Amino acid sequence: MPNTTPPSSEHADRLKRQAFWVCVGVAALTILDLSKINVGLPAIEESLGGGTTELQLIVAGYALAFGLALVPSGRLGDIHSRRLMFIVGLSSFTVASILCAIAPTIEFLIVARIAQGIAAGIQMPQVLGLIQQLYQGAARGRAFGLFGAVIGISTAFGPTLGGLLIAVGGPDNGWRLSFWMNVPLGLLALFFAMRVLPKRQSHAREQTGLDLVGILLLGIATLGLMLPFVLTTGAPTDDPNRWFWLFVLGLSGAAFFWWERRYQQLGKSPVIDFSLFRTASYRNGILISTAYFAAIPPYFLLVTLFLQQGLGLEPVFAGMVSISFALTSAVTSWIGGRLVFRWGRQLVVLGLVTVMIGFALVLLAGLFASVDLAPWLIAAAMTMTGAGGGLVISPNQTLTLSEVPVTQGGVAGSMAQVGQRVGTAIGVAAIISTFYATLYAEASEPDRVQVFRDGFFSGILVALALIAVALVFALVDLFGGRTEKSAVPNS
């Protein structure tokens, strides 16, 4: 049967697919830098020195800067040009990666990582806004399914990739290779982005402008929330005064809320339209993803530290343990993207329960298996965790944004990403500081492996508690009077 699709339509569909994969590829590059550096922390410590605080800042400082940049960048993309902001973010990310790769000191590396996080925060909202712009209806669910699959693979393959690069470059240069690899990939993505990303987009009809006061107050509030957790390492030297930043959060948060309401009453467009949070799917979706991302990235870091420092596993093998997570999460993300509008929030509940079972199996393997057998059993248990994770990320992403107008896609996606980055900062502080606090408390014990097992046990329990919080929010959404299966995706 002859093809009757007009050539112009075929060309438009091809450009749409190409733009989608450019967006997903850049998002994967961004997420890789959240996870692949984990396995390189011991090598960075050996190469540049630094203590627990500096090493945690390399991980959490990236997440902190990422979170601070998200909302203003999403707002700029919505009211001006997502394509332009995408290109600015990608270019800055590539330059910041070069600075990380050539870092002569640990302090220089921390600053460069913060710059890299800001660049990531500029480009990620554009990715989410562009996917919403490119696809509507059920096609958007499938697109977010593929997006979730790629993000799941990136998150889980990051440690493996980091370990391989350390094996190739050695402890002094291997971690630098993990940053150098971003340069050719960033330049390649930049070339395609300038060719295929759409130059036109819909804009909101109301008066739009950049609310600088609101952005500043939101940035201070985000900093006040994340910073005390970023500075929490579990070491006896942690400064108790860091918790005073929560007062900064309270004051700036209240000022932000007051200013935004006043700004909107003047007929102007605020940084955040609080009416979005009256939509249950959006509000609950952000709460679920915040709690989920408080557990998963620190969970990978915890497993990596336990395998390397506790069981003496080489970085490349410690990273490979997460391959099973990557493979199963990719499959279930793809499946979840296709089933999300049929099963709705039930998929997310199923995924979270499966993740909890996977956590429990990983914990049992770490506690009771022999040193030689434990990595293999943890890798096998990661299969269960990954299967559940794939049913959480992409369906929750789709449901969270399903009723959000396309004109607000960037800033709405930004708030969801802020929740994820705040969650990651809090989770790293809660899980990793609990792990290290146990090590410090049992430093005099003669059985070193058992000390690390005890720290691993404490950290996994915190991760399980965070996933349980996500499950509570998912159940509230499922039984809170909404019927997700009948929800019609926004077009």
Side-chain angles (χ1 to χ4, degrees):
M1 187 174 180
N3 185 5
T4 58
T5 305
S8 58
S9 177
E10 288 183 356
H11 179 68
D13 288 343
R14 184 168 65 252
L15 285 178
K16 183 185 292 188
R17 287 193 299 271
Q18 290 172 349
F20 170 77
W21 284 111
V22 168
C23 290
V24 171
V26 169
L29 193 63
T30 302
I31 297 300
L32 271 175
D33 263 67
L34 275 171
S35 60
K36 72 182 177 184
I37 200 64
N38 292 348
V39 77
L41 291 178
I44 291 173
E45 183 178 19
E46 182 180 338
S47 176
L48 299 180
T52 306
T53 300
E54 288 80 10
L55 293 177
Q56 184 149 321
L57 279 171
I58 291 172
V59 177
Y62 179 87
L64 172 61
F66 199 149
L68 288 173
L70 281 164
V71 172
S73 302
R75 184 67 183 147
L76 280 169
D78 283 348
I79 65 177
H80 292 299
S81 170
R82 295 181 185 121
R83 179 179 183 272
L84 176 60
M85 292 299 295
F86 184 97
I87 290 170
V88 168
L90 180 55
S91 303
S92 303
F93 185 83
T94 305
V95 172
S97 296
I98 295 174
L99 295 177
C100 290
I102 64 174
T105 65
I106 192 75
E107 293 80 10
F108 189 99
L109 179 59
I110 290 170
V111 173
R113 277 286 283 177
I114 290 172
Q116 195 184 34
I118 292 172
I122 292 172
Q123 64 193 25
M124 184 60 85
Q126 320 317 324
V127 169
L128 298 172
L130 283 165
I131 291 175
Q132 284 187 275
Q133 179 180 333
L134 291 167
Y135 295 99
Q136 290 80 40
R140 185 182 294 170
R142 292 191 293 271
F144 274 123
L146 285 174
F147 175 79
V150 173
I151 295 304
I153 291 173
S154 303
T155 302
F157 261 118
T160 304
L161 182 58
L164 286 172
L165 292 171
I166 290 172
V168 171
D172 290 331
N173 295 311
W175 64 269
R176 297 183 188 274
L177 290 178
S178 69
F179 294 113
W180 279 121
M181 68 165 283
N182 294 341
V183 178
L185 293 176
L187 292 174
L188 184 65
L190 189 61
F191 170 77
F192 284 107
M194 296 178 72
R195 289 174 60 90
V196 303
L197 291 186
K199 297 180 180 179
R200 297 180 180 178
Q201 68 186 63
S202 300
H203 296 283
R205 293 181 180 178
E206 69 268 16
Q207 180 182 354
T208 57
L210 195 60
D211 177 10
L212 294 177
V213 174
I215 286 172
L216 177 62
L217 289 172
L218 180 61
I220 295 172
T222 305
L223 183 67
L225 174 58
M226 294 180 72
L227 192 58
F229 294 100
V230 168
L231 297 176
T232 300
T233 67
T237 54
D238 282 352
D239 185 358
N241 292 326
R242 68 192 184 278
W243 298 111
F244 283 110
W245 278 97
L246 295 178
F247 289 103
V248 175
L249 163 66
L251 292 173
S252 56
F256 173 73
F257 183 78
W258 172 82
W259 173 263
E260 291 296 279
R261 295 293 295 269
R262 178 177 178 274
Y263 197 76
Q264 192 168 29
Q265 288 170 0
L266 293 174
K268 299 180 180 180
S269 182
V271 176
I272 297 172
D273 184 354
F274 288 108
S275 66
L276 285 173
F277 294 97
R278 291 199 291 267
T279 304
S281 59
Y282 182 72
R283 181 182 65 249
N284 293 327
I286 287 181
L287 292 171
I288 291 165
S289 65
T290 299
Y292 179 81
F293 277 87
I296 292 298
Y299 161 74
F300 283 117
L301 178 56
L302 176 66
V303 170
T304 299
L305 291 172
F306 172 65
L307 292 175
Q308 286 186 255
Q309 298 180 355
L311 304 187
L313 207 62
E314 290 295 322
V316 62
F317 299 116
M320 290 175 68
V321 166
S322 61
I323 289 177
S324 57
F325 182 104
L327 296 176
T328 53
S329 67
V331 173
T332 55
S333 287
W334 180 78
I335 294 171
R338 291 182 169 271
L339 297 179
V340 61
F341 286 114
R342 184 183 306 171
W343 297 102
R345 195 63 75 188
Q346 294 177 71
L347 275 181
V348 179
V349 170
L350 175 62
L352 289 168
V353 171
T354 307
V355 168
M356 294 181 74
I357 294 171
F359 275 11
L361 293 175
V362 167
L363 178 59
L364 291 174
L367 291 181
F368 300 112
S370 66
V371 170
D372 293 333
L373 190 58
W376 294 95
L377 293 179
I378 289 174
M382 283 267 196
T383 304
M384 179 70 72
T385 312
L391 292 178
V392 175
I393 294 178
S394 62
N396 188 64
Q397 183 82 66
T398 304
L399 293 169
T400 301
L401 299 177
S402 63
E403 297 174 89
V404 172
V406 173
T407 55
Q408 294 181 284
V411 73
S414 297
M415 286 306 300
Q417 287 285 318
V418 168
Q420 292 176 18
R421 302 292 78 79
V422 167
T424 297
I426 293 173
V428 167
I431 294 171
I432 302 305
S433 66
T434 300
F435 171 71
Y436 277 119
T438 305
L439 301 189
Y440 286 119
E442 300 182 11
S444 60
E445 295 293 328
D447 190 343
R448 181 175 174 276
V449 172
Q450 186 57 47
V451 170
F452 273 89
R453 288 185 195 270
D454 292 343
F456 187 62
F457 172 76
S458 301
I460 289 289
L461 283 186
V462 176
L464 270 168
L466 291 168
I467 292 295
V469 171
L471 179 59
V472 168
F473 289 134
L475 290 171
V476 166
D477 193 64
L478 180 61
F479 297 112
R482 298 188 74 255
T483 53
E484 292 285 8
K485 287 192 291 183
S486 63
V488 178
N490 181 66
S491 59

